[in-house]
């Protein structure tokens, strides 16, 4: 089985460690599956060939002997099918795993992005300060619901799964934000996820790619 | 097979026809599967029992003889497994269908929400006008990528699938927005989706639920 994921050659320091190829790297580590990295060349992300693989010109795209694929959520569902280390076997639990993947990516990640990204990409614009309050209120509500679910649970389903990988990489964006600390059960869950060796190795691998391709100073 | 989805009893007029139980209603219509509706009673959405079914207190939640489930994306993937009318059979195409479901719900819907919802929920607040330009630029970029993918395609994959149901219900939020008309291939795709009888029946059914439960004038 030959597995390839795409990666940018380099991104600015604020994004290093947060690019979404982290998710398949982590999942493949948990599954004990080797992979290689297709590093995008200059202009390749906008090429017709790459757009046929990843229609938005983003990363990660994924390829193995059976399928080519994009979207980290879909890639992780696909990888989960390859390893009992990544998904519950029970049909009810497997369905809940899928539900939590969509929750992480639709109910939660956009609210994290709305809290974090304006200050990164629009610093100094007049609307940014006013938007922060409503954005924080929305993610606070979501974290409250998530905290309720996590009461008595170590993972989103009965065992660690790709849903936890997606959720943890989403919640990581809040590590410097007071709103996360107002939900200690969620913060503890995040710590539990990030303590896994598969995460550490994925993070190191992503950072190594960027270090190897850093622009000349 | 007994299928149940949850629905609010009533929502304000601006939301009628746009609540997300529209998605499983449409999918079940396409599949020719009957369903019944569990209408949430006063305060039920915040009850512990409902939160165990739908952790965010939202709709739709879903139940059949095999599983209980939440998140419209996960519900539609589950329903797709019940009917050849809702998913491609080829493994590559089925993987792409999953990719496009995540794209619709993660890459596109949050950008639609950021363009539309501030004017609904925060009308008159100082940041709303300033936020509109950046929000429109982001959804414009996404629609451009989607338009590229749709070149030469009637549906997101080789046949109509639940990915088209999710994407169409996402894009519908833009029907009054100039940015959609700047991408005529996407607008035509949306029209093609919404012309399906399964959509019309789903919309009528959702509106009928709200009409039957309208508060006294």
């Amino acid at each position: 089985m030959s597995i390839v994921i795409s990666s940018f050659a380099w991104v600015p320091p604020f994004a290093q460690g947060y690019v979404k190829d982290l998710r398949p790297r982590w999942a493949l580590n948990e599954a004990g599956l080797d992979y290689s990295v297709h590093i995008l060349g200059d202009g390749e992300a906008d090429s017709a060939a790459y757009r046929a693989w990843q229609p938005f010109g983003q990363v990660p795209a994924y390829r193995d002997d059976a399928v080519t694929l994009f979207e980290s959520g879909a890639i992780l569902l696909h990888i989960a099918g390859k390893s009992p280390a990544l998904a519950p076997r029970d049909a009810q639990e497997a369905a809940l795993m899928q539900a939590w993947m969509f929750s992480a990516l639709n109910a939660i990640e956009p609210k994290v992005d709305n809290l974090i990204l304006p200050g990164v990409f629009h610093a100094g614009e007049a609307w940014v300060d006013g938007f922060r309050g409503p954005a924080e209120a929305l993610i606070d509500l979501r974290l409250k619901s998530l905290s309720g679910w996590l009461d008595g649970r170590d993972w989103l389903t009965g065992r660690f799964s790709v849903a936890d990988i997606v959720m943890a990489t989403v919640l990581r964006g809040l590590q410097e934000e007071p709103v996360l600390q107002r939900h200690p059960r969620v913060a503890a869950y995040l710590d539990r996820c990030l303590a896994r060796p598969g995460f550490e190795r994925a993070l190191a691998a992503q950072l190594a790619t960027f270090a190897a391709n850093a622009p000349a100073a």
Side-chain angles (χ1 to χ4, degrees), chain A:
Chain A
M1 170 68 65
S2 161
I3 295 175
V4 180
I5 62 172
S6 67
S7 164
F8 293 125
W10 186 82
V11 299
F14 74 84
Q16 293 189 14
Y18 292 90
V19 186
K20 292 178 183 176
D21 57 86
L22 194 66
R23 292 170 183 164
R25 289 178 190 267
W26 184 356
L28 291 164
N29 289 345
E30 296 275 354
L33 293 169
D34 290 330
Y35 64 94
S36 60
V37 178
H38 174 94
I39 294 176
L40 294 174
D42 276 356
E44 186 179 350
D46 284 327
S47 68
Y50 189 66
R51 293 273 174 158
W53 188 15
Q54 212 302 346
F56 299 93
Q58 298 179 324
V59 301
Y62 170 96
R63 180 170 56 225
D64 64 25
D65 298 342
V67 299
T68 71
L69 192 49
F70 63 101
E71 283 289 338
S72 59
I75 293 167
L76 263 59
L77 275 188
H78 177 74
I79 295 172
K82 299 181 178 302
S83 169
L86 289 174
R89 296 179 188 196
D90 170 72
Q92 172 63 65
E93 286 280 302
L96 280 181
M97 179 190 82
Q98 297 200 8
W100 278 109
M101 292 186 71
F102 282 102
S103 284
L105 293 169
N106 183 258
I108 298 184
E109 185 171 52
K111 271 73 180 172
V112 174
D113 286 351
N114 276 350
L115 185 63
I116 303 300
L117 297 185
V120 176
F121 291 110
H122 299 277
E125 293 183 28
W127 58 271
V128 172
D129 284 351
F131 183 57
R132 189 173 166 83
E136 187 168 8
L138 284 176
I139 185 63
D140 188 56
L141 259 181
R142 292 292 198 261
L143 295 180
K144 186 179 170 195
S145 295
L146 175 59
S147 184
W149 181 262
L150 288 170
D151 189 9
R153 289 181 167 95
D154 281 340
W155 312 111
L156 292 170
T157 59
R159 53 149 298 139
F160 179 82
S161 79
V162 287
D164 298 297
I165 292 177
V166 176
M167 187 66 83
T169 54
V170 165
L171 295 174
R172 254 180 100 221
L174 296 174
Q175 281 185 302
E176 307 294 318
E177 291 290 331
V179 70
L180 179 62
Q181 303 313 321
R182 290 205 290 274
H183 301 281
R185 195 184 290 133
V186 177
Y189 162 76
L190 175 59
D191 290 344
R192 194 154 54 239
C193 291
L194 300 186
R196 295 179 72 90
F199 167 74
E200 296 286 350
R201 284 175 52 213
L203 181 61
Q206 178 175 103
L207 295 175
T209 294
F210 297 145
N213 295 280

